[in-house]
């Protein structure tokens, strides 16, 4: 598979998010013209892509608004569309289930419909998720594992996943989904558990806090690195036919283990500092996830490069450096 794709054009929705920023870098390195859909806000949300200023075309639009999506496609003329925009935080989906459905579910139908009307030759990637497996029916989870989502977020993503399959089957669009397991990085949002732990440990090491309140320490996730995972998204759109893939490391670790490694790399014992606060427990939990990425390995030649320990260390050490003002 060629590593350079000079002259191609891509539109990324969710470019201001964790994955959007890594994907923009990835595509720019491959010679793409990159456009990013950005919604209006009262203050700038461009922090994660500030370093790419002048290299990406910003197009205004919102997954709530059909005409803005049509306009964004007409303006950016993409060969490839990466739909990463979503209300992506699971606890918020319990508090704002209708908004989550509007953006994370119906928003995808709006984008597919816009694509069908004005960019039917483009290829589209949909950001599906391991949260669709929820209360898992088999372990490890693979492409054929049935879905049983446990949150309004998971439910919305199942809708979006099947909408993508349906536009592929009914209208012949090149549209496919990556079923990505949790992936993290120093650019992860602050409320997700990995960044909460990395930042919390760094603040305690710096003497700014003494304790960190978390929810379910027994939850297990298959955690990879976002930079590895955006490469898989790109590979999926280089195939001849659209197909859905599980993207995962195949390893599972508990929140407790994440604490152990993060606090440990700053010379701290997590047990002295972490307390469980019931406010962070969820109405319905996804107890454990672990993916089987065999299809991606065999058909895309994809495999993860960053280990669990290196990921935790990178996030925690970056947070410690940020506090010292050296990042
Ligand atoms: P993220 O950091 O939360 O970014 C979400 C992006 O969506 C942001 O750019 C946000 O814009 C944008 N957005 C939200 N509502 C929008 C709307 N109404 N219209 C247009 N844009 C909107 O998420 P991420 O971690 O990068 O994840 C990327 C995608 O992969 C998401 O769809 C997520 O659900 C999915 N996913 C993530 C993981 C993971 O572990 N990270 C795993 C599987 C799937 P603002 O900056 O303006 O808020
Ligand atoms: O929680 C437990 C929590 O919020 C992970 C999103 O990117 O990945 C992400 O969803 C686990 C859960 O991620 C706290 O109960 C314990 O079991 O970091 P999280 P998530 O819910 O897995 C999937 C694949 C996505 O698609 C989503 O968009 O950690 N946990 N204590 C906690 N979680 C949080 N947030 N905060 C805690 O204090």
């Amino acid at each position: 598979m060629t590593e350079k794709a000079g002259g191609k054009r891509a539109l990324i929705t969710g470019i201001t998010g964790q994955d959007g920023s890594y994907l923009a870098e990835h595509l720019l390195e491959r010679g793409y013209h990159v456009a990013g859909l950005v919604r209006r806000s009262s203050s700038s949300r461009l922090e994660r892509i500030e370093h790419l200023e002048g290299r990406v075309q910003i197009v205004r639009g919102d997954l709530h608004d059909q005409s803005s999506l049509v306009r964004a496609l007409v303006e950016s003329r993409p060969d490839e569309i990466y739909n990463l925009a979503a209300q992506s935080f699971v606890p918020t989906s319990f508090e704002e289930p209708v908004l989550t459905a509007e953006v994370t579910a119906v928003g995808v139908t709006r984008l597919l419909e816009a694509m069908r009307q004005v960019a039917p030759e483009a290829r589209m990637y949909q950001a599906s998720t391991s949260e669709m497996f929820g209360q898992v029916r088999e372990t490890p989870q693979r492409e054929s594992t049935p879905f049983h989502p446990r949150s309004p977020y998971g439910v919305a993503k199942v809708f979006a996943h099947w909408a993508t399959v349906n536009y592929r089957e009914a209208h012949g669009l090149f549209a496919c989904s990556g079923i990505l397991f949790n992936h993290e990085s120093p650019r992860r949002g602050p409320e997700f558990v990995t960044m909460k732990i990395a930042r919390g440990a760094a603040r305690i090491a710096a003497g700014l806090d003494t304790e960190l309140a978390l929810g379910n320490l027994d939850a297990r996730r298959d955690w990879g690195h976002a930079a590895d995972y955006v490469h898989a998204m790109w590979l999926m759109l280089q195939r001849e036919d659209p197909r859905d893939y599980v993207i995962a490391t195949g390893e599972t670790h508990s929140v407790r283990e994440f604490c152990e490694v993060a606090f440990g790399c700053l010379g701290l014992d997590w047990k002295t500092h972490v307390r469980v606060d019931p406010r962070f427990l969820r109405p319905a939990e996804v107890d454990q996830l672990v993916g089987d990425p065999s299809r991606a390995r065999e058909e895309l030649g994809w495999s993860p490069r960053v280990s669990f320990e290196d990921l935790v260390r990178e996030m925690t050490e970056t947070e410690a450096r940020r506090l010292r003002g050296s990042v």
Side-chain angles (χ1 to χ4, degrees):
M1 193 158 295
T2 67
E3 280 289 302
K4 284 272 173 197
K8 278 200 194 169
R9 302 174 65 85
L11 172 67
I12 305 174
T13 74
I15 194 168
T16 56
Q18 170 187 258
D19 291 6
S21 66
Y22 281 104
L23 180 63
E25 286 170 3
H26 196 81
L27 296 176
L28 287 169
E29 274 166 24
R30 282 169 172 72
Y32 277 70
H33 173 275
V34 176
L37 186 83
V38 176
R39 58 181 170 156
R40 194 256 162 197
S41 123
S42 65
S43 59
S44 173
R45 295 181 198 262
L46 303 179
E47 195 184 314
R48 290 192 182 95
I49 51 167
E50 252 167 16
H51 60 296
L52 304 178
E53 201 186 340
R55 298 177 65 203
V56 297
Q57 176 192 358
I58 301 296
V59 291
R60 294 285 158 187
D62 194 305
L63 282 193
H64 283 106
D65 188 273
Q66 183 75 38
S67 63
S68 73
L69 299 178
V70 171
R71 195 173 53 247
L73 290 176
V74 170
E75 274 177 25
S76 59
R77 295 182 288 109
D79 300 299
E80 297 173 9
I81 303 164
Y82 295 87
N83 183 38
L84 309 186
Q87 190 306 94
S88 77
F89 191 47
V90 171
T92 297
S93 79
F94 286 105
E95 287 158 10
E96 301 178 9
V98 176
L99 177 136
T100 301
E102 273 294 339
V103 178
T104 305
V106 181
V108 181
T109 306
R110 290 192 192 99
L111 183 61
L112 285 160
E113 193 51 27
M115 179 184 167
R116 186 173 78 84
Q117 286 170 16
V118 298
E121 300 305 322
R123 296 175 171 210
M124 191 262 205
Y125 171 87
Q126 164 59 17
S128 285
T129 166
S130 51
E131 283 293 298
M132 301 188 307
F133 298 125
Q135 189 155 300
V136 299
R137 305 277 183 86
E138 64 176 340
T139 296
Q141 295 83 52
R142 47 180 71 92
E143 290 81 2
S144 55
T145 303
F147 299 142
H148 184 149
R150 294 275 283 169
S151 63
Y153 169 76
V155 170
K157 283 287 187 179
V158 171
F159 177 101
H161 184 86
W162 284 111
T164 306
V165 171
N166 182 249
Y167 271 70
R168 178 165 80 212
E169 292 176 356
H171 302 299
L173 295 187
F174 190 116
C176 56
S177 294
I179 306 176
L180 270 54
F181 284 61
N182 298 54
H183 46 280
E184 318 294 316
S185 74
R187 297 184 200 166
R188 188 57 142 151
E191 69 274 63
F192 296 94
V193 77
T194 55
M195 182 53 87
K196 209 173 146 183
I197 297 168
R199 189 161 291 176
R203 288 182 64 81
I204 291 168
L208 296 170
D209 286 331
T210 52
E211 64 170 28
L212 173 65
L214 295 174
N216 178 11
L217 303 183
D218 295 321
R220 301 184 71 85
R221 290 290 183 276
D222 179 330
W223 277 298
H225 197 295
D228 281 348
Y229 285 41
V230 300
H231 181 54
M233 297 175 188
W234 177 76
L235 286 171
M236 287 176 61
L237 293 198
Q238 311 315 305
R239 273 180 56 82
E240 264 181 38
D241 317 311
R243 200 164 191 214
D244 304 331
Y245 291 89
V246 160
I247 303 297
T249 70
E251 269 185 38
T252 185
H253 297 274
S254 64
V255 172
R256 185 178 281 102
E257 281 171 78
F258 199 106
C259 290
E260 203 174 316
V261 180
F263 280 79
C265 76
L266 297 177
L268 298 167
D269 179 1
W270 71 276
K271 290 192 223 75
T272 318
H273 302 285
V274 171
R275 97 183 141 76
V276 172
D277 184 333
R279 282 184 307 136
F280 296 113
L281 300 175
R282 298 178 180 183
E285 175 64 295
V286 172
D287 296 320
Q288 80 151 356
L289 292 171
V290 57
D292 174 1
S294 305
R295 183 190 283 179
R297 190 172 51 240
E298 284 153 23
E299 297 184 11
L300 302 176
W302 179 88
S303 51
R305 283 169 295 189
V306 181
S307 70
F308 173 71
E309 283 73 18
D310 286 349
L311 170 69
V312 182
R313 201 172 297 279
E314 182 189 345
M315 291 181 72
T316 310
E317 287 173 356
T318 305
E319 283 311 296
R321 281 203 304 279
R322 238 179 226 155
L323 281 181
R324 292 196 296 270
S326 54
V327 173

